[in-house]
Amino acid sequence: QSVLTQPPSVSGAPGQRVTISCTGSRANIGAGYDVHWYQRLPGAAPRLLIKNNNDRPSGVPDRFSGSKSGTSASLAITGLQAEDEADYYCQSYDSGLSGWDVVFGGGTKLTVL
Amino acid sequence: QVQLQESGPGLVKPSQTLSLTCTVSGGSISGGTFYWSWIRQPAGKGLEWIGRIYPKGITNYNPSLRGRVTISIDTSENQFSLKVNSVTAADTAVYYCARELSTSFDSWGHGTLVTVSS
């Protein structure tokens, strides 16, 4: 059971907009920790997609955007393309025993119809 | 561009110790404000953070694994390592090493599959 909750799957047709939610608690997202998003293409390592809630690293298309509010965060993908079919993970920190624990969501599989 | 590469046995027997090494190239492991982490993903499951090490050797571990895990660093070889003791089938996973900058992981290794089986 992951600390951050994501829907197991989402889908959309090419050109459409999809969103993926990431729900946490007052111990992690709600405590003010930043949320980051990763894309894992089949057979590849995860790639940092969105950092610090809504910042795109160099090379990430502006079709990807992130937001955060309260104890939740969201990843939005507009103009869906076949190459976006992948697993997406959110990540934050948790004020657990050490106060520096990394927590991930369980992942969301995006299917492009 | 920094690159990370995991190495180690792909098969470990139950109750034994899993040992992996991550070699960092394209940058110094002791330079900058980076931390170095291990993350794993069992088949069909999500990502699980195992722990991190700072260049000066301070470590943080996932509470669920604390007591079985040791992460160490060798700055002279530009490597950091993972040991997991008393492994069971539940430790079978793809293991990734990653660089942590601020609070996100900006560089990852390709991952290595470790299977625990007799």
Side-chain angles (χ1 to χ4, degrees):
Chain A
Q1 193 80 350
S2 299
V3 173
L4 304 179
T5 301
Q6 298 179 234
S9 63
V10 298
S11 62
Q16 285 190 331
R17 178 181 186 268
V18 296
T19 61
I20 299 172
S21 62
C22 174
T23 302
S25 69
R26 286 183 291 180
N28 39 69
I29 298 175
Y33 292 117
D34 287 331
V35 178
H36 316 291
W37 291 90
Y38 302 87
Q39 176 193 59
R40 193 172 70 84
L41 295 169
R47 162 201 181 196
L48 181 61
L49 196 66
I50 296 288
K51 61 180 180 176
N52 304 338
N53 308 313
N54 55 18
D55 186 17
R56 281 187 308 278
S58 174
V60 175
D62 59 7
R63 301 186 295 104
F64 295 90
S65 63
S67 64
K68 173 191 161 185
S69 178
T71 58
S72 296
S74 288
L75 172 71
I77 309 172
T78 58
L80 206 56
Q81 299 180 2
E83 67 205 49
D84 299 331
E85 189 161 289
D87 295 324
Y88 294 83
Y89 297 89
C90 61
Q91 175 248 313
S92 186
Y93 270 25
D94 190 275
S95 54
L97 291 176
S98 70
W100 289 90
D101 297 340
V102 173
V103 290
F104 286 98
T108 298
K109 181 174 179 58
L110 169 62
T111 300
V112 181
L113 303 171
Chain B
Q1 178 84 358
V2 70
Q3 292 187 316
L4 293 82
Q5 179 67 59
E6 306 88 350
S7 59
L11 181 64
V12 182
K13 288 182 166 51
S15 80
Q16 294 193 342
T17 297
L18 178 161
S19 296
L20 295 173
T21 295
C22 181
T23 301
V24 179
S25 58
S28 172
I29 201 170
S30 55
T33 55
F34 305 117
Y35 316 141
W36 304 94
S37 278
W38 287 97
I39 296 160
R40 69 181 183 180
Q41 184 168 30
K45 297 188 178 182
L47 297 165
E48 178 182 39
W49 176 70
I50 299 170
R52 68 164 70 84
I53 190 163
Y54 299 75
K56 298 201 172 188
I58 297 171
T59 53
N60 300 123
Y61 298 122
N62 186 322
S64 68
L65 294 167
R66 197 169 292 148
R68 289 204 300 133
V69 172
T70 302
I71 298 176
S72 58
I73 193 166
D74 185 341
T75 55
S76 66
E77 295 290 333
N78 233 33
Q79 296 176 332
F80 64 107
S81 299
L82 169 71
K83 289 188 188 298
V84 182
N85 299 324
S86 306
V87 296
T88 69
D91 294 307
T92 293
V94 175
Y95 285 75
Y96 297 98
C97 57
R99 185 178 78 172
E100 188 177 350
L101 173 61
S102 183
T103 61
S104 64
F105 299 98
D106 68 338
S107 296
W108 296 66
H110 292 296
T112 186
L113 174 63
V114 178
T115 301
V116 178
S117 175
S118 54

